[in-house]
Amino acid sequence: MRGLHQGWLQACREGRLDVVHAVVQAVVQAVPETVPDAERRAFIDRPGPDGRNAFHLACEHHELALAVSLLRLGADPHRRTETGRLPIQLATHEDHGERTRTLLAWLKIQGADPLARDDNGRSALNEAAYHGNRSAIGWLLEQGASLVERDRQQRTPLHAAAAAGHAATVTLLLARGADPQARNAAGERPIFEACRMGRVDAMRAFLDAGQWLDADERRQLQQSGMVAETAVAQACGAPLRAALAQTVPAMHAEANAAAVSACGTTTGKGMVEQREGMAAATADAAAKVAATADAASKARPAPRLPPALRRLRQWF
């Protein structure tokens, strides 16, 4: 029986409706008059080693046809996993676009609550943010989910996305109005969680949105020794290098434009004077670029850099 059940769960993971129905036929429906409905449902809802049953797996892997069949066979759409997660939460683990929205809408029709929480106070929105499922996030917000909701650790969906390193999700949540200043039970903002976890892409998303570590957070990293950790240094240094790579060429182009403009004022003079003027202007532009590069190498603030970058350079 145990072997059949493991085969049943594997079939559910793979979306093999034919195998699922074959197992049900062999174990449950062979002599239906001797198998009460309660026993049949108990087999269908029996969890595997990881605490997920067939219906959980069908929802997690977006096998809607399988989920419908299991429901007809008596699966409980409200049964929780061993960690208290509901099927609607598991349905946010994978982003399949419209398939995700369709599955979530179907679960709601079956009575699932889009705002329900697991045993840790974690909602489907928080779960979707942690897994970077932007399709689920959009649908859940339409159902009334809130970006300011918190789990038992006082973590918002933005905290979850930042800690998991989902840059596109961080950008989406910030654009939808998520509060970057919200603090969890440990007093950490979402950007600090991203830094502590070494999430380079998420840190870049915060920097692109004009957010960065404040003085207290930098001091905490230094006092705790985390600033010396490779993952943390990379999480902060990589966004700086990427931003500088975009900023310095722009400054270079601006200097060249100034040089061309300066040379244009020499019309009416001799060709030699014009070339001399161009050379002088180009040399002046080159000197400006060299000075900028020198300032960057010495980690001194560059006047033309965005405020967030200047603050970052004061740290590194």
Side-chain angles (χ1 to χ4, degrees), residues 290-316:
T292 300
D294 181 62
S297 66
K298 294 180 180 178
R300 291 199 300 265
R304 295 177 182 174
L305 291 177
L309 276 181
R310 291 204 296 273
R311 291 195 297 271
L312 180 58
R313 292 181 62 173
Q314 290 171 0
W315 185 32
F316 278 90

Short mmCIF file of all heavy atoms in Angstrom, two decimals, residues 290-316:
data_model
loop_
_atom_site.label_atom_id
_atom_site.label_comp_id
_atom_site.label_asym_id
_atom_site.label_seq_id
_atom_site.Cartn_x
_atom_site.Cartn_y
_atom_site.Cartn_z
N ALA A 290 39.63 62.11 -16.38
CA ALA A 290 40.69 61.52 -15.56
C ALA A 290 40.49 61.87 -14.09
O ALA A 290 40.69 61.03 -13.21
CB ALA A 290 42.06 62.01 -16.03
N ALA A 291 40.08 63.11 -13.85
CA ALA A 291 39.84 63.52 -12.47
C ALA A 291 38.69 62.72 -11.87
O ALA A 291 38.73 62.33 -10.70
CB ALA A 291 39.53 65.02 -12.41
N THR A 292 37.66 62.47 -12.67
CA THR A 292 36.52 61.67 -12.20
C THR A 292 36.95 60.25 -11.87
O THR A 292 36.58 59.69 -10.84
CB THR A 292 35.41 61.64 -13.27
OG1 THR A 292 34.97 62.98 -13.51
CG2 THR A 292 34.23 60.79 -12.80
N ALA A 293 37.74 59.65 -12.75
CA ALA A 293 38.22 58.29 -12.52
C ALA A 293 39.09 58.23 -11.27
O ALA A 293 39.04 57.28 -10.48
CB ALA A 293 39.00 57.79 -13.72
N ASP A 294 39.92 59.27 -11.10
CA ASP A 294 40.79 59.31 -9.92
C ASP A 294 39.94 59.41 -8.64
O ASP A 294 40.22 58.75 -7.64
CB ASP A 294 41.74 60.49 -10.02
CG ASP A 294 42.70 60.56 -8.83
OD1 ASP A 294 43.48 59.61 -8.65
OD2 ASP A 294 42.64 61.54 -8.07
N ALA A 295 38.90 60.23 -8.72
CA ALA A 295 38.03 60.36 -7.55
C ALA A 295 37.35 59.04 -7.23
O ALA A 295 37.20 58.66 -6.07
CB ALA A 295 36.98 61.45 -7.79
N ALA A 296 36.95 58.30 -8.28
CA ALA A 296 36.30 57.01 -8.06
C ALA A 296 37.26 56.02 -7.43
O ALA A 296 36.90 55.27 -6.53
CB ALA A 296 35.77 56.45 -9.39
N SER A 297 38.51 56.00 -7.91
CA SER A 297 39.48 55.05 -7.38
C SER A 297 39.82 55.33 -5.93
O SER A 297 40.16 54.44 -5.17
CB SER A 297 40.77 55.08 -8.22
OG SER A 297 41.42 56.34 -8.08
N LYS A 298 39.73 56.58 -5.53
CA LYS A 298 40.03 56.95 -4.14
C LYS A 298 38.77 56.98 -3.27
O LYS A 298 38.83 57.36 -2.12
CB LYS A 298 40.71 58.32 -4.11
CG LYS A 298 42.09 58.31 -4.77
CD LYS A 298 42.72 59.68 -4.73
CE LYS A 298 44.11 59.67 -5.39
NZ LYS A 298 44.71 61.01 -5.39
N ALA A 299 37.65 56.58 -3.86
CA ALA A 299 36.37 56.50 -3.11
C ALA A 299 35.98 57.82 -2.52
O ALA A 299 35.46 57.87 -1.40
CB ALA A 299 36.45 55.42 -2.03
N ARG A 300 36.20 58.91 -3.27
CA ARG A 300 35.72 60.20 -2.82
C ARG A 300 34.43 60.52 -3.56
O ARG A 300 34.28 60.18 -4.74
CB ARG A 300 36.76 61.30 -3.12
CG ARG A 300 38.02 61.18 -2.28
CD ARG A 300 38.78 62.49 -2.29
NE ARG A 300 39.16 62.89 -3.62
CZ ARG A 300 40.35 62.62 -4.15
NH1 ARG A 300 41.24 61.93 -3.46
NH2 ARG A 300 40.65 63.02 -5.37
N PRO A 301 33.48 61.20 -2.94
CA PRO A 301 32.21 61.48 -3.61
C PRO A 301 32.41 62.28 -4.88
O PRO A 301 33.19 63.23 -4.92
CB PRO A 301 31.43 62.29 -2.55
CG PRO A 301 32.07 61.93 -1.26
CD PRO A 301 33.53 61.70 -1.57
N ALA A 302 31.72 61.89 -5.92
CA ALA A 302 31.74 62.63 -7.18
C ALA A 302 30.52 63.55 -7.21
O ALA A 302 29.41 63.09 -7.04
CB ALA A 302 31.70 61.68 -8.37
N PRO A 303 30.70 64.84 -7.44
CA PRO A 303 29.59 65.80 -7.33
C PRO A 303 28.41 65.46 -8.22
O PRO A 303 27.29 65.75 -7.88
CB PRO A 303 30.24 67.12 -7.74
CG PRO A 303 31.70 66.92 -7.52
CD PRO A 303 31.96 65.48 -7.78
N ARG A 304 28.69 64.85 -9.40
CA ARG A 304 27.61 64.64 -10.35
C ARG A 304 26.90 63.29 -10.14
O ARG A 304 25.97 62.98 -10.85
CB ARG A 304 28.15 64.71 -11.78
CG ARG A 304 28.69 66.09 -12.13
CD ARG A 304 29.28 66.10 -13.52
NE ARG A 304 29.83 67.40 -13.87
CZ ARG A 304 30.51 67.66 -14.98
NH1 ARG A 304 30.70 66.70 -15.85
NH2 ARG A 304 30.98 68.86 -15.23
N LEU A 305 27.37 62.49 -9.21
CA LEU A 305 26.73 61.21 -8.97
C LEU A 305 25.43 61.39 -8.20
O LEU A 305 25.30 62.33 -7.42
CB LEU A 305 27.67 60.29 -8.18
CG LEU A 305 28.91 59.80 -8.92
CD1 LEU A 305 29.76 58.95 -7.98
CD2 LEU A 305 28.56 59.00 -10.16
N PRO A 306 24.47 60.48 -8.40
CA PRO A 306 23.22 60.55 -7.64
C PRO A 306 23.50 60.45 -6.14
O PRO A 306 24.50 59.85 -5.72
CB PRO A 306 22.44 59.32 -8.14
CG PRO A 306 23.04 59.00 -9.46
CD PRO A 306 24.48 59.38 -9.37
N PRO A 307 22.64 61.02 -5.32
CA PRO A 307 22.85 61.00 -3.87
C PRO A 307 23.06 59.59 -3.31
O PRO A 307 23.90 59.39 -2.44
CB PRO A 307 21.56 61.62 -3.32
CG PRO A 307 21.08 62.51 -4.43
CD PRO A 307 21.45 61.81 -5.69
N ALA A 308 22.27 58.60 -3.81
CA ALA A 308 22.42 57.24 -3.30
C ALA A 308 23.81 56.71 -3.56
O ALA A 308 24.41 56.03 -2.71
CB ALA A 308 21.38 56.32 -3.94
N LEU A 309 24.38 57.03 -4.73
CA LEU A 309 25.73 56.57 -5.05
C LEU A 309 26.76 57.28 -4.20
O LEU A 309 27.75 56.68 -3.77
CB LEU A 309 26.03 56.80 -6.53
CG LEU A 309 25.54 55.73 -7.50
CD1 LEU A 309 25.93 56.09 -8.92
CD2 LEU A 309 26.11 54.38 -7.13
N ARG A 310 26.56 58.56 -3.95
CA ARG A 310 27.52 59.29 -3.13
C ARG A 310 27.55 58.72 -1.72
O ARG A 310 28.62 58.56 -1.12
CB ARG A 310 27.15 60.77 -3.09
CG ARG A 310 27.37 61.48 -4.44
CD ARG A 310 27.58 62.95 -4.23
NE ARG A 310 26.42 63.60 -3.66
CZ ARG A 310 25.41 64.09 -4.38
NH1 ARG A 310 25.43 64.00 -5.70
NH2 ARG A 310 24.38 64.67 -3.79
N ARG A 311 26.37 58.36 -1.18
CA ARG A 311 26.33 57.77 0.15
C ARG A 311 27.04 56.42 0.16
O ARG A 311 27.74 56.07 1.10
CB ARG A 311 24.88 57.62 0.62
CG ARG A 311 24.17 58.93 0.91
CD ARG A 311 22.91 58.69 1.71
NE ARG A 311 21.94 57.89 0.99
CZ ARG A 311 21.02 58.41 0.17
NH1 ARG A 311 20.98 59.72 -0.05
NH2 ARG A 311 20.16 57.63 -0.45
N LEU A 312 26.82 55.66 -0.93
CA LEU A 312 27.44 54.34 -1.01
C LEU A 312 28.96 54.46 -1.09
O LEU A 312 29.70 53.71 -0.44
CB LEU A 312 26.91 53.59 -2.24
CG LEU A 312 27.45 52.20 -2.49
CD1 LEU A 312 27.18 51.31 -1.26
CD2 LEU A 312 26.82 51.58 -3.71
N ARG A 313 29.46 55.43 -1.83
CA ARG A 313 30.90 55.58 -2.00
C ARG A 313 31.57 56.05 -0.72
O ARG A 313 32.75 55.76 -0.48
CB ARG A 313 31.19 56.58 -3.13
CG ARG A 313 30.78 56.04 -4.49
CD ARG A 313 31.10 57.01 -5.57
NE ARG A 313 32.52 57.24 -5.63
CZ ARG A 313 33.10 57.96 -6.59
NH1 ARG A 313 32.37 58.48 -7.52
NH2 ARG A 313 34.41 58.15 -6.58
N GLN A 314 30.84 56.72 0.11
CA GLN A 314 31.39 57.14 1.40
C GLN A 314 31.62 55.93 2.30
O GLN A 314 32.43 55.99 3.22
CB GLN A 314 30.43 58.11 2.09
CG GLN A 314 30.37 59.48 1.40
CD GLN A 314 29.27 60.34 1.94
OE1 GLN A 314 28.54 59.93 2.83
NE2 GLN A 314 29.12 61.54 1.41
N TRP A 315 30.92 54.84 2.02
CA TRP A 315 31.07 53.65 2.83
C TRP A 315 32.20 52.79 2.33
O TRP A 315 33.00 52.26 3.08
CB TRP A 315 29.74 52.88 2.83
CG TRP A 315 29.76 51.69 3.74
CD1 TRP A 315 30.42 51.53 4.90
CD2 TRP A 315 29.04 50.47 3.54
NE1 TRP A 315 30.18 50.31 5.45
CE2 TRP A 315 29.32 49.62 4.62
CE3 TRP A 315 28.18 50.01 2.55
CZ2 TRP A 315 28.81 48.36 4.75
CZ3 TRP A 315 27.63 48.76 2.69
CH2 TRP A 315 27.95 47.94 3.77
N PHE A 316 32.29 52.61 1.01
CA PHE A 316 33.31 51.72 0.43
C PHE A 316 34.57 52.51 0.11
O PHE A 316 34.55 53.45 -0.64
CB PHE A 316 32.78 51.04 -0.83
CG PHE A 316 31.93 49.83 -0.50
CD1 PHE A 316 30.57 49.96 -0.33
CD2 PHE A 316 32.51 48.60 -0.32
CE1 PHE A 316 29.79 48.85 -0.02
CE2 PHE A 316 31.74 47.49 -0.02
CZ PHE A 316 30.39 47.62 0.14
#
